Amino acid sequence: MNGIPMEHGLLLSVVLFVLGLTGVLVRRNLIMILMSLEVMLNATGLAFIVAGSRWGQADGQIMFLLILTLAAAEVGVGLGLVLQIFRRFHTLDADSLNGMKG
């Protein structure tokens, strides 16, 4: 049993990354932007796992654990920022936040 070819795994990773990038560029809701960032991070993790399994190394799985840790930190900080933005501006529309003053 040979498993899934490397090209198929990398193609799936590219498709997921492009979908996530499209979501980041097109969406206006901050929560949807964060979800698209998560899809992009998972796509890169998938690429690392596919490449690691191709060469029989555990490096891809270790990088995926690092990516999962980064994604968890991004969710924690990102949702905290989203809550503060919603409390202050009463909206999650990214276009309406362009008039922020420091």
Side-chain angles (χ1 to χ4, degrees):
M1 192 170 219
N2 292 336
I4 299 173
M6 183 178 177
E7 294 82 17
H8 292 190
L10 290 178
L11 181 66
L12 177 62
S13 177
V14 167
V15 168
L16 286 174
F17 191 85
V18 169
L19 285 174
L21 183 65
T22 304
V24 168
L25 296 176
V26 172
R27 297 290 182 181
R28 296 175 189 222
N29 190 343
L30 291 177
I31 294 177
M32 293 301 290
I33 291 172
L34 286 175
M35 287 174 53
S36 298
L37 283 173
E38 290 292 323
V39 170
M40 290 171 64
L41 285 171
N42 284 330
T44 56
L46 177 64
F48 276 118
I49 287 183
V50 167
S53 69
R54 167 73 168 100
W55 291 295
Q57 299 290 325
D59 295 343
Q61 295 172 4
I62 293 169
M63 287 300 296
F64 185 68
L65 286 175
L66 181 69
I67 289 171
L68 282 179
T69 305
L70 179 71
E74 180 253 335
V75 165
V77 171
L79 288 179
L81 289 172
V82 165
L83 283 173
Q84 289 297 322
I85 288 171
F86 184 74
R87 286 181 183 165
R88 186 171 193 177
F89 298 105
H90 302 292
T91 184
L92 291 178
D93 187 22
D95 287 339
S96 65
L97 301 176
N98 62 358
M100 292 195 301
K101 296 176 177 69

